[in-house]
Amino acid sequence: MNLTEEEILRQCAKMCKNTLMETLDISFCEVGKDYLVAKMPVTPRVHQPDGVLHGGAMVALAESVGSAASFMFLDAKEFYIRGIEISANHVRSVKEGYVFAKAEIVHPGRTTQLWDIKIRGEENQLISVVKLTTIALPKTK
């Protein structure tokens, strides 16, 4: 796609309407040649019962940013993008503020793509390390 950063972020915001991303208040905030960044507020809505960010919410944030990155960097008119494998290592807890997920391409294959996603807190502290594999499925005509 030959879109400006602003156009890509606007498309990402449009994709979030009436989805899990809207429910979790995930928003896309930065895009580069081979990466995409999204942020999510850490509030009681995404806490575990003991008051820290739920690991499942972090995985949802990671899959959202990785899948959106695949969608943005492939010809989305020709393909459906689906996550096919995800693994996460949560290394730090967070109770409030924002977390930022940066998806960086490791393997930009035609069929499968591999993403390295780091989730960091507002002070750039590492919260979670995620690996996501996506697949591009051709749309039928």
Side-chain angles (χ1 to χ4, degrees):
M1 282 188 182
N2 291 325
L3 301 174
T4 67
E5 179 178 342
E6 184 178 293
E7 290 169 329
I8 290 171
L9 294 175
R10 193 171 28 252
Q11 281 193 0
C12 287
K14 186 177 177 181
M15 289 188 313
C16 290
K17 297 291 182 197
N18 299 313
T19 68
L20 178 66
M21 286 80 74
E22 185 175 64
T23 300
L24 297 178
D25 203 17
I26 294 170
S27 60
F28 296 89
C29 53
E30 184 181 341
V31 64
K33 181 182 177 202
D34 59 357
Y35 72 91
L36 182 64
V37 179
K39 68 179 183 175
M40 180 177 70
V42 180
T43 66
R45 290 179 59 172
V46 294
H47 280 172
Q48 297 182 40
D50 67 351
V52 298
L53 179 58
H54 194 289
M58 285 190 276
V59 171
L61 171 62
E63 185 159 358
S64 297
V65 72
S67 293
S70 285
F71 183 80
M72 289 292 111
F73 298 126
L74 294 173
D75 186 355
K77 294 176 185 166
E78 299 291 324
F79 298 97
Y80 294 109
I81 305 300
R82 300 290 184 262
I84 58 172
E85 183 179 6
I86 192 165
S87 66
N89 292 90
H90 309 306
V91 297
R92 181 181 296 230
S93 296
V94 62
K95 293 183 177 191
E96 60 187 8
Y98 280 86
V99 288
F100 299 84
K102 182 176 185 178
E104 296 182 275
I105 191 72
V106 174
H107 172 69
R110 288 179 304 205
T111 304
T112 60
Q113 302 76 44
L114 179 60
W115 295 91
D116 176 58
I117 303 164
K118 301 281 193 313
I119 299 177
R120 297 184 178 274
E122 291 178 299
E123 303 299 320
N124 204 35
Q125 68 276 32
L126 184 63
I127 307 297
S128 189
V129 177
V130 182
K131 180 187 82 171
L132 172 67
T133 305
T134 56
I135 189 168
L137 300 171
K139 291 182 178 178
T140 57
K141 296 186 181 199

